[in-house]
Amino acid sequence: MPLYQDEKDYGPVSSTAKFEKPPLVNKVVSDYCLNLPGFSESNVAADLRLETAKHSKSVMMGDPTEAALLAFLLKLSPGSGKTVVEVGVFTGYTTLVLAEALKELGGGKIVGLDVNPDSCQVGAPFWKQAGVDDMIDMRYGPAVDSLQALQNDADMLDTVDLAFIDADKVNYQQYYELLLPLLKPGSGIIAIDNVLWSGKVADSKIVGDADTDALRGINEFVAQDPRVEAVLLPFADGVTLVRKKKQ
C-alpha cells in the first residue's frame, strides 16, 4: 500500500460523503469498522452528511467517525453546561454531532468560528431540526480575531471543555496558542484535525508545501510543549488530542 492514497483510487465523492475515500486505511478496513454497531449517527446527522456530499467542497467535511469520537470524549464526564469552541465549521456536521452530545448531557454551548456564512447555512436547518440551534453561537470572520475576542472575555478563560481545530492549516499554531488560555486546566482538550495529511507529513519527498510544512510544525511543537499532554492518533486523517495540564 502506498504511504498515502490518491483520491483517484476511490473515484468521485459518493452520496455517502466521506466514507468512500478513507485517507489512511483501505476502504475494506474502513467499511468493516463503519458496519459494526460501534459507529452510529442520528438520522438528522446522516441527512446533513448526505446534503454536504452535494457541496462542491464536500471533502472539507469532518470525518464522521472523528465527530463520533469527540462526542464520546464530551460524554466521558457527566453534567450540563459544557463549552465547545470549533475553529472551522464548514456545513456544521461536526457541530451538529457535538451539539447533540451536549443536549444529551443536559445542555451547553458551542462557539463556532468560520469565515464563510454561506457554507454554515447548509447546516442551520438541520441544527434546528435536531433542536440544538439555540446552543450554537456562530461568529463569522477570521478565526484569529474571534479567538482574540474570546480571550478578552474574562468569563471565557479556563472554561472550555473541548476545542476542535479544522481550518486553514497555516494558522494552526496561532489557533492552538489562542485556545490554550481558554481551556479548563487539567481536563480541557484541543483536538487538532488532519495532522497526518493523508500521510504526507511523513513523506520526505514532499518539500515546500505550505500546508504540509505547517502540519509538521504543529506536530513537532505540540510534542515538545511542556504545558500539555498530547497523543497523536493515526485515525481518520490523523488527530492529535491535547490536554491542558494544571498549572
Side-chain angles (χ1 to χ4, degrees), residues 8 31 33 64 80 85 96 123 137 139 142 162 164 178 189 220 236 240 244:
K8 64 184 180 183
D31 285 349
C33 296
S80 62
V85 176
L96 173 58
D137 175 10
R139 305 189 184 189
L162 175 67
F164 182 43
L178 289 166
I189 291 174
E220 293 166 7
T240 296
K244 180 180 176 181

Side-chain angles (χ1 to χ4, degrees), residues 13-230:
V13 175
S14 80
S15 62
T16 54
K18 277 291 182 183
F19 293 155
E20 287 301 302
K21 298 186 295 181
L24 296 179
V25 299
N26 66 50
K27 189 173 184 303
V28 173
V29 174
S30 179
D31 285 349
Y32 172 80
C33 296
L34 292 167
N35 288 329
L36 288 172
F39 174 78
S40 63
E41 63 185 351
S42 70
N43 291 337
V44 180
D47 288 345
L48 176 52
R49 174 168 54 80
L50 297 177
E51 185 65 27
T52 300
K54 304 172 186 176
H55 196 284
S56 61
K57 296 181 178 180
S58 60
V59 71
M60 291 173 56
M61 187 183 80
D63 189 288
T65 56
E66 186 176 10
L69 172 64
L70 298 179
F72 180 88
L73 292 174
L74 266 183
K75 292 186 281 189
L76 282 178
S77 59
S80 62
K82 289 184 169 62
T83 299
V84 175
V85 176
E86 186 179 6
V87 183
V89 172
F90 188 44
T91 63
Y93 175 86
T94 301
T95 317
L96 173 58
V97 173
L98 294 178
E100 289 175 327
L102 292 176
K103 183 179 180 181
E104 183 178 331
L105 289 168
K109 68 176 179 180
I110 297 178
V111 180
L113 311 180
D114 208 284
V115 295
N116 190 344
D118 291 339
S119 62
C120 298
Q121 287 307 307
V122 173
F126 298 90
W127 301 342
K128 186 175 181 63
Q129 183 181 348
V132 298
D133 54 313
D134 60 339
M135 292 192 288
I136 300 170
D137 175 10
M138 285 302 308
R139 305 189 184 189
Y140 298 109
V144 168
D145 295 344
S146 298
L147 288 170
Q148 287 173 337
L150 290 176
Q151 273 201 19
N152 292 335
D153 181 354
D155 291 336
M156 286 293 296
L157 299 176
D158 296 331
T159 65
V160 172
D161 297 276
L162 175 67
F164 182 43
I165 303 175
D166 183 14
D168 52 313
K169 313 312 172 193
V170 295
N171 282 316
Y172 264 28
Q173 191 160 331
Q174 283 194 81
Y175 301 151
Y176 174 83
E177 289 290 356
L178 289 166
L179 283 165
L180 268 183
L182 303 177
L183 287 187
K184 283 184 178 176
S187 62
I189 291 174
I190 299 176
I192 310 173
D193 197 22
N194 302 121
V195 293
L196 293 181
W197 210 221
S198 298
K200 295 176 185 178
V201 294
D203 189 342
S204 61
K205 298 188 297 296
I206 298 177
V207 295
D209 178 75
D211 288 339
T212 303
D213 289 345
L215 291 165
R216 288 171 177 153
I218 189 66
N219 290 343
E220 293 166 7
F221 182 83
V222 169
Q224 301 176 52
D225 189 349
R227 300 168 295 177
V228 304
E229 179 181 7

